Amino acid sequence: AQSVAQPEDQVNVAEGNPLTVKCTYSVSGNPYLFWYVQYPNRGLQFLLKYITGDNLVKGSYGFEAEFNKSQTSFHLKKPSALVSDSALYFCAVRDRTGANNLFFGTGTRLTVIP
Amino acid sequence: DVKVTQSSRYLVKRTGEKVFLECVQDMDHENMFWYRQDPGLGLRLIYFSYDVKMKEKGDIPEGYSVSREKKERFSLILESASTNQTSMYLCASRTGTLRTYEQYFGPGTRLTVT
């Protein structure tokens, strides 16, 4: 069965510092991986995805994610955090059982401190 | 841009009431989804639909039903609301195009059952 794990419920980072939000996955075969962000009182917004190709994927709002097959990880990164990046971040993996739906992690709340 | 709208942002209902949550998308997407979001549990799939009049159970369908009479509209029904159904409900849609898996979300409905 496929799954994703977000080991940190909460991440705090100072404004201007680099940020990392961690995600590890467990799938059979090649993973299709996604990151979403949820701002307060809003739905989820798609940030980026890895399907195939370069291990470093660039997405919206200056975010990027690095796919690491040996470590089964897909960490979300940004070189310089903004206060407006404070939000709830979800990692997701494609369900390969035929439905091709997404299976979401439990979320990580990022707080950027001014 | 894809737009997914949900009929209510906030809803308060009494135990035992029948509750309808409506979702409309304007991008002619084949696939539509209903999730509930709870702290520490992330997003859990309730039901999804591949096409008009088609529906499939997700991971937690108990206590819920759905209706998809038109392609753009997907309704979630709580036949007899209970307090444990107090949650944030998110609707999403996705194109049926091959190898396209990202979903687009509505703003959510925060349902409180008293």
Side-chain angles (χ1 to χ4, degrees), chain A residues 32 34 36 38 41-46 49 51-52 88 90 94 98-107, chain B residues 9-10 33 35 37 40-43 45 48 50 59 88 90 94 99 101-108 110:
Chain A
Y32 291 4
F34 303 79
Y36 281 80
Q38 185 180 36
N41 299 314
R42 303 283 295 276
L44 273 68
Q45 295 179 33
F46 170 72
K49 66 181 177 183
I51 303 296
T52 188
L88 191 55
F90 289 94
R94 180 186 67 139
N100 285 321
N101 295 335
L102 297 182
F103 184 84
F104 288 85
T106 53
Chain B
R9 294 298 302 274
Y10 300 94
F33 308 83
Y35 295 89
Q37 180 183 0
L41 297 177
L43 273 71
L45 183 62
F48 61 101
Y50 290 126
D59 299 318
M88 169 71 92
L90 296 171
R94 186 191 86 203
R99 292 174 63 84
Y101 306 107
E102 56 266 34
Q103 298 175 15
Y104 296 88
F105 284 81
R110 187 166 294 281

Side-chain angles (χ1 to χ4, degrees), chain B residues 28-77:
Chain B
D28 202 35
H29 282 175
E30 288 79 8
N31 303 297
M32 296 188 74
F33 308 83
W34 275 106
Y35 295 89
R36 62 176 286 175
Q37 180 183 0
D38 300 288
L41 297 177
L43 273 71
R44 293 180 291 168
L45 183 62
I46 303 172
Y47 268 96
F48 61 101
S49 169
Y50 290 126
D51 203 347
V52 176
K53 298 192 185 296
M54 302 292 288
K55 60 184 179 184
E56 297 285 344
K57 292 180 179 179
D59 299 318
I60 52 164
E62 296 79 18
Y64 304 94
S65 62
V66 291
S67 173
R68 194 165 180 202
E69 296 297 318
K70 294 185 178 181
K71 190 174 186 180
E72 67 270 20
R73 187 180 297 270
F74 193 35
S75 302
L76 180 69
I77 303 156

